[in-house]
Amino acid sequence: MSNSSSLVRYLGSRLLLAPVMLWLIASLVFLLLRVAPGDPVDALLGNRASAAARDQLRAQLGLDQSLWDQYREFLGALLQGDLGTSLRNSTPVGEIVRDALPASLELGITALLVALVVGLAVGFSGVARPEGKLDLSGRLYGIGTYALPVFWAAMVMQLIFAVGLGWFPVGGRFPPTALPPQGTGFYLLDGILQANPQVIWGTLQHLALPAITLGLLLSGIFERALRLNLRRALRSDYVEAARSRGISERRVVLRHALPNALLPVLTITGITVASLIGGALLIELIFSWPGIAYRLQEAIAQRDYPLVQGIVVVIAALVVMVNLAVDVVVALLDPRLKF
């Protein structure tokens, strides 16, 4: 069987498993919300509400139904693409996700670019001069950034660059005295498309500090991955054969070793998307960034079942799609992979 047909079969199996994974995640979140302590009625009315008012609201929200009836109704709506309605403000969950998702994607993509540039630069510079001070500094950088707590690093960055130096705002996504741009929901892209320097500058001012903080924390993953894989590639047989033909060391590294060392980094990039979502929760909270992770924290605190379920399903779908896309790209770039 050819590798192309094997790839098609692999992709088909992954596509068939994706709905199963989403169903398991949605079912698990549904069950955990119901068994966890707390009651949405208490979150909405408080503890001093009368029993009649509590019963009326419970019936209005459908919480008086059996667990199985609630689950069946939830799955039926989900199969139709309906994420439900927020218990807090009766707003469709799809609208809340659509408004908050661009902010998280803008932050996540920018942070990922920072992580890739810094991590790959530090990792490559260490391999270029192995066992030297630069290599040792790169190792310490990779371990340190990976081990730093997100909340601590974010608050330190705020204290230094926002409070102390005053270079960036402490939080928020856009200057409060200006109207945010209308369009795609990606403020930086909207500012570029509209050729509005005030929007671009205001967005960059608020985006820079949280994106750099999250990007630096994730850059250690790419530094370690590139350094380890590049060193392994430089000791491989095909690199030794290239050296024996008299090819310069610079060309050996850039044309032979580096492309093969970058393939595992591409795989790690897909896996890092999950880390971005998890790390972005604390980043969005500390920097008051109105993204989907920030909305998720609010929904959990308010026991807003439909909103929590909808956000988790959307995040899970994004992670599944990104990992599938990365697997396809790696398979197309690396003919050695067999499925």
Side-chain angles (χ1 to χ4, degrees):
M1 183 179 293
S2 64
N3 194 38
S4 59
S5 59
S6 299
L7 177 59
V8 172
R9 290 187 58 186
Y10 169 74
L11 294 179
S13 62
R14 288 289 302 271
L15 289 174
L16 290 176
L17 285 174
V20 178
M21 294 176 59
L22 293 177
W23 168 69
L24 290 174
I25 292 172
S27 301
L28 183 61
V29 172
F30 176 89
L31 181 61
L32 290 177
L33 286 173
R34 268 67 181 182
V35 300
D39 190 345
V41 175
D42 291 338
L44 293 172
L45 297 180
N47 297 325
R48 298 183 178 180
S50 64
R54 292 165 58 85
D55 292 340
Q56 181 180 358
L57 181 60
R58 190 178 301 277
Q60 180 181 346
L61 299 177
L63 299 176
D64 58 336
Q65 302 176 15
S66 66
L67 188 63
W68 170 251
D69 289 337
Q70 293 182 48
Y71 178 68
R72 186 175 55 186
E73 184 178 344
F74 163 66
L75 279 186
L78 189 61
L79 290 174
Q80 298 175 12
D82 183 7
L83 298 177
T85 303
S86 171
L87 301 181
R88 191 72 182 178
N89 50 23
S90 300
T91 303
V93 173
E95 292 185 8
I96 298 176
V97 172
R98 187 175 63 248
D99 293 339
L101 188 57
S104 291
L105 291 178
E106 190 171 55
L107 174 61
I109 292 172
T110 308
L112 185 59
L113 292 176
V114 173
L116 283 169
V117 171
V118 176
L120 296 183
V122 175
F124 185 79
S125 62
V127 175
R129 295 184 179 181
E131 306 303 332
K133 294 182 179 180
L134 196 60
D135 186 24
L136 178 60
S137 300
R139 293 184 186 183
L140 294 176
Y141 174 84
I143 296 173
T145 53
Y146 186 77
L148 280 177
V150 176
F151 67 91
W152 182 85
M155 289 189 291
V156 169
M157 294 288 281
Q158 278 183 328
L159 288 174
I160 295 175
F161 296 103
V163 178
L165 298 175
W167 291 354
F168 304 102
V170 175
R173 189 185 179 197
F174 201 72
T177 56
L179 291 176
Q182 302 296 321
T184 64
F186 297 87
Y187 288 179
L188 186 58
L189 178 61
D190 290 335
I192 295 173
L193 293 177
Q194 298 170 12
N196 191 328
Q198 286 82 12
V199 171
I200 297 174
W201 177 244
T203 302
L204 287 176
Q205 276 187 311
H206 289 76
L207 177 63
L209 193 56
I212 290 173
T213 302
L214 185 56
L216 291 178
L217 292 174
L218 293 174
S219 63
I221 301 174
F222 298 102
E223 185 276 332
R224 290 173 59 82
L226 180 64
R227 182 167 53 84
L228 293 175
N229 287 284
L230 188 54
R231 285 190 172 181
R232 187 180 298 114
L234 290 173
R235 293 194 297 265
S236 61
D237 294 336
Y238 66 88
V239 170
E240 293 297 335
R243 287 170 174 159
S244 66
R245 294 196 300 268
I247 301 177
S248 65
E249 186 66 19
R250 177 185 178 88
R251 188 174 180 183
V252 166
V253 173
L254 296 179
R255 296 291 299 275
H256 296 272
L258 185 59
N260 288 282
L262 287 176
L263 288 174
V265 175
L266 183 59
T267 304
I268 293 174
T269 303
I271 301 174
T272 306
V273 171
S275 300
L276 267 174
I277 296 172
L281 174 59
L282 294 175
I283 292 293
E284 290 185 6
L285 290 177
I286 294 172
F287 287 96
S288 300
W289 189 266
I292 196 168
Y294 189 86
R295 301 300 182 198
L296 178 60
Q297 185 273 337
E298 288 184 336
I300 293 174
Q302 297 167 357
R303 310 294 298 173
D304 196 337
Y305 291 166
L307 186 53
V308 175
Q309 293 163 176
I311 291 177
V312 170
V313 169
V314 170
I315 291 175
L318 287 174
V319 173
V320 169
M321 288 189 297
V322 170
N323 282 307
L324 180 60
V326 170
D327 288 344
V328 173
V329 173
V330 171
L332 294 175
L333 294 178
D334 192 353
R336 298 171 298 178
L337 293 179
K338 304 294 181 183
F339 300 94

